[in-house]
Amino acid sequence: MYTFLARQPIFDNKYNVYGYELLYRDAERLSTVNVTDGNYATKRVLSDAITLFGLGTLTNSKPAFVNFTEELILEEFPMLVDSKDIVIELLEDVNITPAVIEKVAKLKENGYTIALDDYLGDSNFDEILPYVDILKVDFMLTDRVTQENIAKKLGNTLILLAEKVETNEEYEWAKSIGYKLFQGYFFSRPVTYKKKKQQISCATFGMLMTELDKDDVDFTKCCNIIRTDTVLTYKILQKMSTIEYYRCHTIDKVETAVTLMGISNLRRWLLLVVVRNNNKTCSDELARLAFLRGLFAEKLIKKSSKSNGTESAFFMGMFSLIDKIFGENKEELLKNIAISDEVRTALLGKSENIYSHLLDFIIDYENQINKISLKDLGINVSDDEVLRIYVDCVAKVDATFKDV
């Protein structure tokens, strides 16, 4: 299955891209979509943009304009995203109540940029204007008198954005009366992107939702939960490879990645990952096998001279099925995460090292084949002990993936 997302650029008066509006889509060829649930649409847009497409990649590190409903504003949902990454668009049907004003003021205090969508000069929005940075004026819904009156009244205090600009004449007119930003078919139609959905296992989804629902999130427990799931482990390592975190070194532990993020950013990121709630009918079998391989590899390598490589062995086992779990090319997937070259080349079959040989042994062991000797790998354990370790790992997987 695929997920879809559209973006439309917003330009300044020199044709430079100022940002991109992100738009919900539920199919590849739809230029527009009838959104019946604005809350769901926004959550999907944000979650997919961050966890599937990569927000910085999608917007070329420009601000992402995202629509927010009244309910999401009251829930402070925009605060799940860093303030530098988004512009909060208040939809035209938001009721300007004291509660909404209070929440918008808080967002403003926390560094968020606020835009008011489809502004027509309605006095009902006067109380919210002191907290607004950008006014979006729909040039299809307003006449030139209204467009000019808005510019004269608010052009000196707010940034005016002319949207749905469809001709050069409209662009020149808007620019001449003080509009600074522009959006519409004259510049660019929305472009739809698609990406294969990457599902979190059902068990992991349930455990994370339970943990994140607590007032005091257990940092260590979150790390342990993440380690059980190939997709989540991949996603957090992928996040660590971004400019925000990457410091030209590999991440050798999930705990290291989580520590770099901090508990606040971890909570924000996890909520965005799981909010899509798309795992109710998924199968956990590949996730179970990947986790089992990771645990088994981790336990075995502890018995070797390379006992400090336990987490690398775990990653090797977890990511051995990554192409099947994600449904994408393994080499392309492994380019996007900061793991050691030893593990990466082993997974790609491009080198022979302790990790590649260990993976071969594990696969053979699953198939009850005895081609590889652990002693040749420097792992001194008896056949009985290997069986005990494997059974223990299976028990841990079963306990982890029990119904939640």
Side-chain angles (χ1 to χ4, degrees):
M1 293 180 65
Y2 288 88
T3 190
F4 303 93
L5 183 67
R7 73 171 199 184
Q8 185 177 32
I10 295 168
F11 295 88
D12 64 17
N13 56 14
K14 295 182 179 178
Y15 290 98
N16 297 312
V17 174
Y18 176 86
Y20 293 89
E21 181 166 8
L22 301 185
L23 304 163
Y24 173 76
R25 293 289 186 268
D26 57 7
E28 186 170 10
R29 290 186 172 84
L30 290 180
S31 59
T32 60
V33 63
N34 182 23
V35 177
T36 58
D37 186 343
N39 296 324
Y40 172 79
T42 294
K43 288 179 179 181
R44 275 292 304 273
V45 164
L46 270 182
S47 180
D48 289 346
I50 292 171
T51 66
L52 287 182
F53 295 92
L55 187 58
T57 301
L58 194 62
T59 66
N60 297 319
S61 298
K62 304 287 186 181
F65 285 63
V66 180
N67 293 326
F68 286 91
T69 63
E70 180 179 345
E71 182 177 334
L72 294 179
I73 293 295
L74 293 174
E75 292 177 358
E76 299 184 355
F77 190 81
M79 295 187 76
L80 293 175
V81 189
D82 195 289
S83 60
K84 73 178 185 303
D85 294 329
I86 64 168
V87 173
I88 298 168
E89 285 196 31
L90 303 177
L91 291 171
E92 64 279 5
D93 58 0
V94 170
N95 295 308
I96 308 304
T97 63
V100 167
I101 293 172
E102 180 184 351
K103 294 297 184 182
V104 172
K106 182 178 179 180
L107 290 166
K108 183 78 171 176
E109 289 171 7
N110 281 274
Y112 290 89
T113 299
I114 310 297
L116 183 57
D117 197 21
D118 288 343
Y119 182 70
L120 304 178
D122 194 327
S123 61
N124 291 335
F125 292 98
D126 287 352
E127 288 186 83
I128 205 75
L129 288 180
Y131 306 101
V132 171
D133 301 285
I134 300 172
L135 273 184
K136 298 187 73 175
V137 180
D138 190 322
F139 268 43
M140 290 185 70
L141 295 179
T142 55
D143 55 28
R144 289 199 169 190
V145 173
T146 302
Q147 294 159 10
E148 188 169 15
N149 286 341
I150 292 172
K152 287 178 179 178
K153 181 181 178 181
L154 299 168
N156 291 327
T157 56
L158 301 176
I159 299 172
L160 302 183
L161 189 160
E163 62 176 335
K164 296 185 181 173
V165 174
E166 298 203 337
T167 66
N168 183 64
E169 181 184 2
E170 288 178 338
Y171 165 62
E172 292 295 341
W173 159 251
K175 191 166 59 169
S176 72
I177 59 175
Y179 286 74
K180 302 298 183 185
L181 299 176
F182 310 88
Q183 178 183 7
Y185 286 2
F186 170 67
F187 304 95
S188 175
R189 290 175 177 268
V191 176
T192 299
Y193 297 82
K194 75 173 182 178
K195 197 168 184 68
K196 195 174 184 68
K197 289 182 179 179
Q198 303 156 353
Q199 293 184 321
I200 306 166
S201 80
C202 298
T204 308
F205 178 83
M207 288 185 289
L208 274 175
M209 287 303 290
T210 299
E211 186 59 36
L212 291 171
D213 197 40
K214 298 176 181 177
D215 292 332
D216 185 16
V217 178
D218 188 323
F219 184 89
T220 302
K221 190 171 183 180
C222 282
C223 292
N224 291 335
I225 293 171
I226 291 168
R227 290 176 83 251
T228 69
D229 188 272
T230 304
V231 175
L232 267 182
T233 303
Y234 176 85
K235 285 181 183 296
I236 198 168
L237 294 184
Q238 185 182 43
K239 185 171 181 62
M240 290 302 104
S241 69
T242 62
I243 293 174
E244 181 182 4
Y245 293 101
Y246 188 58
R247 299 293 183 271
C248 297
H249 58 260
T250 58
I251 304 299
D252 58 353
K253 293 182 179 180
V254 169
E255 286 81 355
T256 303
V258 171
T259 299
L260 286 171
M261 289 179 73
I263 192 64
S264 177
N265 285 332
L266 172 66
R267 184 186 181 99
R268 174 187 300 175
W269 178 78
L270 289 176
L271 281 168
L272 283 164
V273 169
V274 301
V275 78
R276 299 173 69 237
N277 192 17
N278 66 340
N279 294 311
K280 291 182 178 178
T281 61
C282 70
S283 169
D284 288 333
E285 290 310 308
L286 283 178
R288 288 171 61 93
L289 181 56
F291 185 42
L292 175 58
R293 286 183 179 181
L295 291 177
F296 195 31
E298 180 181 56
K299 297 290 186 184
L300 289 176
I301 209 165
K302 281 183 179 180
K303 305 291 184 178
S304 75
S305 59
K306 201 175 177 64
S307 58
N308 62 343
T310 55
E311 196 73 7
S312 290
F314 176 79
F315 286 157
M316 180 273 296
M318 281 289 285
F319 294 150
S320 62
L321 295 167
I322 194 171
D323 52 334
K324 294 181 176 63
I325 291 171
F326 280 68
E328 296 183 26
N329 179 270
K330 182 183 287 187
E331 187 163 6
E332 290 301 313
L333 287 167
L334 293 176
K335 285 180 182 178
N336 297 323
I337 53 176
I339 57 174
S340 70
D341 286 338
E342 275 189 302
V343 172
R344 181 179 287 104
T345 55
L347 287 169
L348 295 175
K350 292 185 176 181
S351 69
E352 293 190 10
N353 55 41
I354 181 67
Y355 301 112
S356 64
H357 292 309
L358 185 55
L359 179 59
D360 289 340
F361 171 83
I362 290 171
I363 293 172
D364 284 352
Y365 196 82
E366 291 169 354
N367 293 290
Q368 299 182 349
I369 299 172
N370 297 310
K371 290 182 180 178
I372 300 171
S373 168
L374 285 178
K375 289 184 179 180
D376 292 341
L377 304 183
I379 300 174
N380 296 312
V381 292
S382 66
D383 291 345
D384 288 344
E385 190 174 1
V386 172
L387 177 59
R388 181 187 59 78
I389 291 171
Y390 189 76
V391 170
D392 287 346
C393 290
V394 170
K396 184 170 183 179
V397 171
D398 287 342
T400 299
F401 283 81
K402 68 182 178 180
D403 291 337
V404 293

